[in-house]
Amino acid sequence: MPISSTTVSAVRGLRRSVVAALAAVLAAVVIVPTAAAPPSPAINRRQLAAQVKAEFLHAWRAYERDAWGHDELRPLTRKPYDWYGESLEMTPVDALDTLVLMGLKPEAQKARLEIDRRLSFDRDLFVKTFEINIRLLGGLLSGYELTHDARLLALATDLGRRLMPAFKSPTGLPYQFVNLRTGAVRGAGTNPAETGTLLLEFGTLSRLTGDPAYGQMARRALVATYSRRSAVGLVGAAIDVETGTWTSSDSHIGGGIDSYYEYLVKCQVLFGDDECGAMWRTTRPAIDRYLADDVDGRRWYGHADMETGARTAPTYSALAAFFPAALALSGDVATARRLQDSSFFMWQQHGIEPEVFDYRTATVKRPGYHLRPEIVESTYYLYRLTHDPAYLRMGETLFRDFVKYCRTDEAYASLASVVTKEKADEMPTYLFAETFKYFYLLFAPETTLDFDRVVFNTEAHPLFRTFP
Ligand code: DMJ
């Protein structure tokens, strides 16, 4: 068929408009970003690290002034608080490695002397196995590894020995409470976080003392938790250590289960324990199949029934925000990035994150903010693993909001409500162990601590890897 002149001119016209359109696209590509979206201002890491340190010291001075030698400071009433009525030096032990990493030498020396002279575990007290393990045993071990103060290892060994009776249940799952002096136990009702978050500390204690019993007991407890997963591969929210039966079938990745998953990942990285790696690899598909929930393009992890896998509640939490770090460490950086964006979305709804969030309605379910570190921890991991400056910018936003809403004239305080920003009389020890530490490490020179040589326990105490 002959080509008419109309056709030729139409083709030419089309070519011209395609060329014009291409030129417009090119112009947009070349010109628009510089005009409409100027590059974000460079992050001044040195200045931010100095600011984090100054804010840490603001809270630390308050503790020194109003609660020195006690477990915690209540920041609004400015009164000391001891968890069990007498002090176990929780804040100095939990804070020691952060003081060392920040280069706060006189403060670190003072805390170390306080611990060396005053801390004794020969107490007729029923203590919570999980909390004492992650904060005190973890803090003493990392303190020892960073300072080589032999007294810290002696204290850690004494504490580990006193916690060991907790494992003497018919299942090997640890009792919730153990008496530090008598070894008596109580609290058969516990949860996977409490039964599965002991191996990094006890395994490290075995390595440092040469006594394998610590690691063996903690490992047995982790395996005992894993082996009780349901047919669909999930664990529940409550378990009885004497019968090994689940007393809550609520499955999720938040508080009460969270660090069980974290330790499955980390015990492979810290000790090269392939069985842990295998337990994680069989667990992950169940988490993704039943708990993962994509809403409007965002990735969340909600709740499901552990037996049926049926979805129960579309809620995510401040505690669940540890999961991007665990995912990234396990090698799944892509999902970690997506979930971190969701955690940040939750944070941005009120300029600070609530304890529990309904991701389907984007509403607050529990409004408190307990100075939690998890979202900062994940920001730090993602930055270290990707070197994407977006995570420095995210960290800067988190830090500025955190200071804006949680700083008081005297100290730092939790929020009773992220909606009203009303404060609560609480300054947990993990503020020093974790929240400030992760902010600091995010901005500080990477030589401050070699990310590849350590594994952080769930309380952010770095333990040195024994596996290349
Ligand atoms: C810390 O004690 C630990 O990170 C624990 O695993 C979970 N909760 C707090 C901080 O939010």
Side-chain angles (χ1 to χ4, degrees):
M1 193 170 67
I3 299 171
S4 72
S5 61
T6 349
T7 312
V8 169
S9 66
V11 168
R12 280 202 188 120
L14 186 63
R15 229 189 256 150
R16 262 197 307 275
S17 51
V18 167
V19 170
L22 271 176
V25 168
L26 276 175
V29 169
V30 174
I31 296 162
V32 171
T34 41
S40 337
I43 296 278
N44 189 334
R45 291 177 59 177
R46 184 199 287 254
Q47 196 180 69
L48 278 163
Q51 284 172 6
V52 172
K53 196 160 148 179
E55 292 309 312
F56 173 95
L57 274 174
H58 175 73
W60 183 253
R61 296 279 179 251
Y63 169 76
E64 276 187 319
R65 190 175 56 234
D66 296 325
W68 183 251
H70 291 275
D71 285 341
E72 280 179 13
L73 168 66
R74 290 207 153 135
L76 302 185
T77 50
R78 300 179 60 179
K79 296 266 185 285
Y81 168 66
D82 293 315
W83 287 29
Y84 302 107
E86 47 189 281
S87 176
L88 290 173
E89 305 282 347
M90 305 276 286
T91 289
V93 175
D94 229 7
L96 178 61
D97 55 16
T98 309
L99 292 165
V100 172
L101 292 170
M102 286 184 175
L104 295 166
K105 288 195 178 136
E107 289 80 4
Q109 174 74 353
K110 183 175 163 186
R112 202 156 56 75
L113 286 179
E114 172 71 17
I115 295 163
D116 287 354
R117 288 184 188 148
R118 298 260 169 82
L119 183 54
S120 160
F121 295 118
D122 184 19
R123 310 285 183 86
D124 187 9
L125 296 177
F126 278 89
V127 300
K128 211 165 190 199
T129 314
F130 164 81
E131 295 289 358
I132 295 303
N133 170 60
I134 65 169
R135 299 184 200 222
L136 294 189
L137 188 53
L140 290 168
L141 290 168
S142 71
Y144 168 71
E145 290 201 304
L146 291 175
T147 65
H148 307 293
D149 176 348
R151 172 85 182 125
L152 297 176
L153 180 57
L155 280 164
T157 310
D158 184 46
L159 177 58
R161 190 177 56 77
R162 292 171 188 276
L163 293 177
M164 284 287 267
F167 294 106
K168 291 202 176 131
S169 70
T171 59
L173 295 167
Y175 283 92
Q176 204 172 26
F177 294 94
V178 57
N179 186 299
L180 287 176
R181 180 171 293 160
T182 66
V185 289
R186 66 181 180 213
T190 183
N191 60 54
E194 297 192 345
T195 60
T197 310
L198 296 136
L199 183 49
L200 299 194
E201 300 80 1
F202 277 69
T204 300
L205 187 58
S206 281
R207 175 172 65 79
L208 293 173
T209 60
D211 180 350
Y214 302 108
Q216 283 165 358
M217 295 302 261
R219 196 170 189 289
R220 194 171 146 232
L222 183 66
V223 174
T225 308
Y226 171 77
S227 63
R228 284 173 174 77
R229 71 196 184 285
S230 71
V232 303
L234 295 173
V235 294
I239 191 165
D240 187 305
V241 305
E242 291 177 344
T243 61
T245 52
W246 294 100
T247 52
S248 162
S249 64
D250 182 21
S251 196
H252 53 83
I253 61 159
I257 299 182
D258 47 4
S259 47
Y260 158 65
Y261 292 137
E262 180 183 345
Y263 274 34
L264 286 182
V265 173
K266 289 183 173 176
C267 88
Q268 158 114 55
V269 184
L270 181 59
F271 304 121
D273 187 328
D274 290 331
E275 258 189 75
C276 283
M279 290 192 281
W280 167 249
R281 285 190 294 279
T282 33
T283 295
R284 175 75 200 281
I287 296 175
D288 270 39
R289 175 151 182 207
Y290 300 108
L291 304 180
D293 203 357
D294 289 346
V295 179
D296 297 335
R298 289 187 194 287
R299 164 56 54 97
W300 300 94
Y301 287 87
H303 290 236
D305 183 276
M306 69 172 277
E307 302 297 350
T308 63
R311 207 172 283 290
T312 50
T315 51
Y316 186 73
S317 62
L319 284 163
F322 84 99
F323 206 52
L327 290 176
L329 192 63
S330 77
D332 185 359
V333 172
T335 311
R337 278 178 174 276
R338 287 189 66 201
L339 187 60
Q340 180 69 5
D341 286 349
S342 300
S343 299
F344 191 52
F345 173 83
M346 171 173 77
W347 177 283
Q348 288 187 303
Q349 299 311 297
H350 293 279
I352 202 143
E353 67 188 3
E355 185 73 348
V356 179
F357 182 69
D358 182 323
Y359 52 78
R360 287 205 172 263
T361 55
T363 51
V364 169
K365 284 290 167 197
R366 280 166 58 190
Y369 172 62
H370 301 281
L371 301 174
R372 294 210 185 275
E374 287 76 9
I375 190 171
V376 190
E377 170 186 3
S378 289
T379 311
Y380 167 62
Y381 275 61
L382 277 165
Y383 180 66
R384 281 291 179 271
L385 292 170
T386 65
H387 287 102
D388 181 343
Y391 294 112
L392 290 177
R393 287 194 288 277
M394 189 182 282
E396 181 177 15
T397 302
L398 297 174
F399 179 63
R400 300 224 181 279
D401 291 342
F402 172 77
V403 174
K404 180 170 169 192
Y405 295 122
C406 302
R407 190 184 209 272
T408 68
D409 287 346
E410 288 80 27
Y412 267 76
S414 294
L415 298 181
S417 167
V418 297
V419 181
T420 64
K421 310 294 190 293
E422 181 200 346
K423 294 201 168 61
D425 198 10
E426 176 194 67
M427 190 171 76
T429 68
Y430 57 72
L431 169 70
F432 298 107
E434 294 194 73
T435 315
F436 278 123
K437 183 186 284 143
Y438 286 130
F439 272 131
Y440 184 72
L441 290 176
L442 173 64
F443 302 123
E446 298 195 11
T447 48
T448 306
L449 181 70
D450 188 345
F451 181 80
D452 297 325
R453 280 196 62 213
V454 298
V455 171
F456 294 90
N457 87 334
T458 193
E459 189 78 359
H461 296 304
L463 301 169
F464 282 95
R465 288 175 63 177
T466 52
F467 177 69

